[in-house]
Amino acid sequence: MLNLVVDIGNSAVKLAIFDHNKITFHQKKASLSSTELQQLIYTKAIENVIVSSVKAGFSFTENEISKRVNYIQFNATTKIPVVNRYKSPETLGLDRLAAVIGAQALIPKQAALVIDAGTCITYDHITEGGEYFGGSISPGIKMRFDAMHHFTAKLPQVKFDDTFNLPFGKNSADAISSGAVNGAIYEAEGFIKTFLSHHPAGKIILTGGDSTFFDTKFKNSIFAHLILHEPNLVLIGLNTVVNYQHDLK
């Protein structure tokens, strides 16, 4: 069974083709047109398509897609293999929900904290029993740099350098980097400690565009043995949803 999974995020579109649970094709694009999507469906003999978007609309016609394949628009009403306890499921970011579904698929019957380091940094946890209650949303690292420049009169625009490794800055640029970079690390460490205080046997899964940076920083930390790095976690979660729909039939 070939599934085409489409994750439309804030800054990019991620595509993956799964042969059951194995990724056989992966692509990251700035946008996705109807022609490109249909070409993939035809040339790869796709059977199922699922689309998740954090944006309001799509750049392709859903009706045309649904005529050719089993089409699922991932939303708050889609049947999923976890229990969603979020108080306002219609406002929950679909990428956050897909990520915890992916976490359960990777480590079933284990509590997990998902840290998705992208435009924003999100922290979401799922229990051993597959219940999702919510999480936290924080500014992403690049957003922190941009905000300090935008909302002040004199602070310069500084670019995120993932090799930055100073505890304190001795000039304005380094001070900004220290605050943005170290602040994000200390924040993540705090969320991890809180999660582990409730779930001592839990795992931490890193994903998102800046996840490699966090993975590098935590390699020598006390949390190293608890951390899994899975850049395709959201895609894995969406594929799990497709397979779950198939199993329900």
Side-chain angles (χ1 to χ4, degrees):
M1 184 169 69
L2 294 180
N3 302 331
L4 173 59
V5 172
V6 182
D7 172 31
I8 303 175
N10 288 303
S11 56
V13 177
K14 294 180 181 178
L15 310 166
I17 294 175
F18 286 80
D19 185 349
H20 295 281
N21 293 317
K22 181 181 179 182
I23 295 178
T24 60
F25 172 87
H26 183 270
Q27 191 175 33
K28 183 177 180 180
K29 302 168 62 66
S31 61
L32 178 67
S33 70
S34 182
T35 301
E36 290 171 320
L37 183 56
Q38 293 196 51
Q39 186 177 19
L40 266 178
I41 291 171
Y42 299 150
T43 58
K44 303 292 185 179
I46 299 300
E47 300 170 63
N48 305 286
V49 174
I50 186 169
V51 177
S52 172
S53 177
V54 299
K55 298 180 180 179
F58 304 137
S59 59
F60 50 84
T61 307
E62 292 178 281
N63 288 338
E64 287 299 316
I65 303 302
S66 60
K67 290 177 183 177
R68 306 289 181 180
V69 295
N70 175 39
Y71 173 75
I72 301 170
Q73 181 186 334
F74 186 55
N75 56 42
T77 64
T78 305
K79 292 181 180 180
I80 56 177
V82 303
V83 181
N84 187 359
R85 304 289 191 192
Y86 205 67
K87 295 294 185 181
S88 55
E90 69 282 352
T91 68
L92 173 62
L94 296 175
D95 51 344
R96 294 172 60 196
L97 182 57
V100 294
I101 294 171
Q104 188 194 51
L106 285 180
I107 48 171
K109 298 182 180 180
Q110 278 191 275
L113 173 67
V114 174
I115 302 178
D116 190 340
T119 303
C120 290
I121 303 174
T122 57
Y123 303 87
D124 291 284
H125 67 92
I126 188 165
T127 68
E128 295 90 340
E131 292 183 284
Y132 170 70
F133 290 92
S136 303
I137 305 172
S138 178
I141 297 179
K142 295 181 181 68
M143 189 185 293
R144 296 171 194 231
F145 282 99
D146 293 343
M148 282 188 277
H149 172 64
H150 180 76
F151 291 107
T152 62
K154 294 185 177 180
L155 290 182
Q157 178 69 64
V158 179
K159 290 185 177 181
F160 171 39
D161 178 359
D162 60 11
T163 64
F164 182 84
N165 197 30
L166 296 176
F168 299 102
K170 295 183 179 180
N171 56 58
S172 294
D174 285 350
I176 291 169
S177 292
S178 175
V181 174
N182 294 326
I185 294 169
Y186 300 152
E187 173 187 282
E189 289 176 344
F191 277 110
I192 291 172
K193 288 177 181 177
T194 299
F195 166 73
L196 292 175
S197 70
H198 295 282
H199 303 279
K203 297 287 187 181
I204 294 87
I205 304 180
L206 302 176
T207 192
D210 290 328
S211 59
T212 299
F213 167 76
F214 281 95
D215 187 43
T216 300
K217 292 297 181 182
F218 289 143
K219 282 237 185 274
N220 297 318
S221 75
I222 59 173
F223 310 119
H225 66 292
L226 302 174
I227 290 178
L228 302 175
H229 183 209
E230 180 47 75
N232 297 316
L233 187 65
V234 171
L235 299 176
I236 291 170
L238 292 173
N239 183 64
T240 302
V241 172
V242 176
N243 293 338
Y244 182 69
Q245 305 294 313
H246 183 75
D247 292 341
L248 289 175
K249 294 179 180 180

